Structure formats: structure tokens, C-alpha cells
């Protein structure tokens, strides 16, 4: 699948079949995430692939105020953490940029595009009680959950894309 096709076919999948996803497929998605660029090549991310009871506990942490009920159905939830170094945090303060979150977003998109190529559904979930997920995962000091990715075989059709036009988002200056 070429890049354009992957970008077109990835969508936020919120209905999954119960069928598990083999680790071989997940490893292919992780490999694409691993190759993602990051500021100063710090690669501040970690991907926790969860199933079963642990996954069920994390699903609950994505369901604040009744949101994201579909995470109960998804056979796999991947919690993504970052652990910025102190020097990075100081640099971020000076530059008013949060590079580790930018890094993580890029890696997560690479993961999701590869999943789309493999016929898997994903949804990037930011509505998460991150502190509780950290506790469930037992993350190390300074390591924080930022996003959760639901993963599984889609049990729904891709809805039409609703996007701004290129004219609205691009400015050509000369
Ligand atoms: C950082 C981020 C957080 C998101 N959080 C959620 C979420 O908590 N629940 C959800 O159902 N979708 C979530 N989404 C998915 C967006 O709603 C979705 O990407 C957007 O509506 C565009 O639809 P598409 O992904 O199907 O193209 C999130 C997406 C991003 C990038």
C-alpha cells in the first residue's frame, strides 16, 4: 500500500470484532513507530501492548464521563508513554515547545498507518485518565502515559472523511 492510500484508509475505528490480533502484526506496526523521527533522535516513547485483564483495566481509564465505550470490545489496547529527560524538559520550557508530545504523535501515526495497511482498525484515544494508566502499567519515574491506541479487526465500514480543504489549511508565500 502506498503512503497516500494508507492516509486515506486509516480512520478512527470504534467498532471491533472480538478476534485477537497476532503479535507478528503488532510488531510490524511497532517497527514503523520505531522508525519515526524525533527531536534530537531522543525516541522518548514506549508502547505497552495490553490484552485481557490489564487491557480491561486500561479500557476503564478511557471511559471518563461515558466516553470511549468501544475500548471494551477492542482486543488490544496500546498505551503509549513518554519519558522526557530533564534537559529536554528545560529546553522545551525555553522554546515553549513540547517536543516529546510531538515525537509521540508522529510515532503513533506511523503505527496507525501501518495498521491500516495490514487491514487493522485503530483509534487514537487522548481522553484518558493518564495517571491511573501509569499506575496500572507501573511506569518508571517521570514516564507518563499520553495516548492509548485501540487495535483490532474493524467491525464497521470506514465513514467518509470530514476535513478542511487544502485551501483552508495551506498558505503559499513568495
Ligand atoms: C490526540 C488525539 C486524541 C483523540 N482522542 C480520541 C478519543 O478520546 N476518543 C475517540 O473516539 N477519538 C479520539 N480521537 C480521534 C479523532 O476524533 C479523529 O481522529 C478525528 O475525528 C478524525 O477522524 P478519523 O480519525 O476517522 O479520520 C483522537 C485523535 C487524536 C489525534
Amino acid at each position: 500500500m502506498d503512503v497516500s492510500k494508507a492516509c486515506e484508509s486509516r480512520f478512527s475505528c470504534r467498532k471491533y470484532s472480538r478476534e485477537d490480533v497476532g503479535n507478528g502484526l503488532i510488531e510490524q506496526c511497532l517497527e514503523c513507530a520505531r522508525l519515526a523521527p524525533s527531536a534530537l533522535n531522543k525516541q522518548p516513547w514506549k508502547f505497552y501492548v495490553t490484552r485481557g485483564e490489564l487491557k480491561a483495566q486500561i479500557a476503564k481509564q478511557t471511559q471518563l464521563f461515558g466516553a470511549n465505550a468501544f475500548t471494551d470490545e477492542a482486543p488490544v489496547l496500546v498505551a503509549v508513554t513518554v519519558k522526557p529527560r530533564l534537559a529536554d524538559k528545560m529546553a522545551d520550557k525555553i522554546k515553549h515547545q513540547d517536543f516529546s508530545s510531538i515525537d509521540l504523535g508522529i510515532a503513533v501515526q506511523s503505527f496507525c498507518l501501518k495498521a491500516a495497511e495490514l487491514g487493522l482498525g485503530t483509534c487514537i484515544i487522548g481522553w484518558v485518565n493518564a495517571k491511573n494508566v501509569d499506575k496500572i502499567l507501573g511506569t518508571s519515574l517521570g514516564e507518563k502515559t499520553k495516548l492509548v491506541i485501540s487495535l483490532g479487526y474493524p467491525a464497521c465500514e470506514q465513514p467518509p472523511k470530514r476535513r478542511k480543504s487544502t485551501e483552508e489549511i495551506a498558505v503559499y508565500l513568495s
Side-chain angles (χ1 to χ4, degrees):
M1 184 182 278
D2 68 26
V3 175
S4 298
K5 184 81 188 120
C7 291
E8 284 157 18
S9 62
R10 185 219 53 84
F11 70 100
S12 292
C13 177
R14 300 186 178 91
K15 197 163 174 45
Y16 295 94
S17 83
R18 293 273 174 188
E19 189 183 345
D20 194 13
V21 178
N23 280 344
L25 295 179
I26 296 174
E27 268 157 35
Q28 292 184 54
C29 299
L30 290 171
E31 175 62 6
C32 287
R34 192 179 74 83
L35 296 174
S38 59
L40 295 171
N41 200 18
K42 289 285 191 238
Q43 306 161 63
W45 45 65
K46 204 159 198 174
F47 292 73
Y48 292 83
V49 179
T50 69
R51 295 185 177 86
E53 175 51 27
L54 206 65
K55 189 232 92 175
Q57 286 181 40
I58 291 170
K60 290 289 163 268
Q61 302 309 320
T62 69
Q63 293 172 359
L64 320 175
F65 303 110
N68 299 325
F70 64 88
T71 53
D72 283 337
E73 277 178 11
V76 178
L77 291 180
V78 182
V80 194
T81 68
V82 289
K83 186 175 182 176
R85 295 181 193 178
L86 190 59
D88 305 331
K89 281 196 234 168
M90 285 166 62
D92 285 349
K93 272 220 159 28
I94 294 162
K95 291 185 263 91
H96 304 293
Q97 284 277 20
D98 176 5
F99 279 168
S100 59
S101 292
I102 294 170
D103 296 341
L104 174 135
I106 296 168
V108 164
Q109 171 73 337
S110 297
F111 182 104
C112 293
L113 289 177
K114 184 65 187 181
E117 184 194 66
L118 296 171
L120 297 168
T122 55
C123 186
I124 300 168
I125 299 164
W127 188 245
V128 180
N129 187 329
K131 281 197 176 150
N132 285 352
V133 175
D134 290 343
K135 278 191 206 135
I136 293 165
L137 298 173
T139 52
S140 61
L141 194 66
E143 182 187 6
K144 289 184 176 14
T145 300
K146 288 279 183 177
L147 294 171
V148 170
I149 309 169
S150 57
L151 181 67
Y153 289 94
C156 59
E157 294 298 314
Q158 176 175 11
K161 286 246 175 261
R162 290 184 297 117
R163 291 295 190 270
K164 294 178 183 176
S165 67
T166 309
E167 290 70 31
E168 285 173 283
I169 64 163
V171 182
Y172 291 85
L173 302 171
S174 54

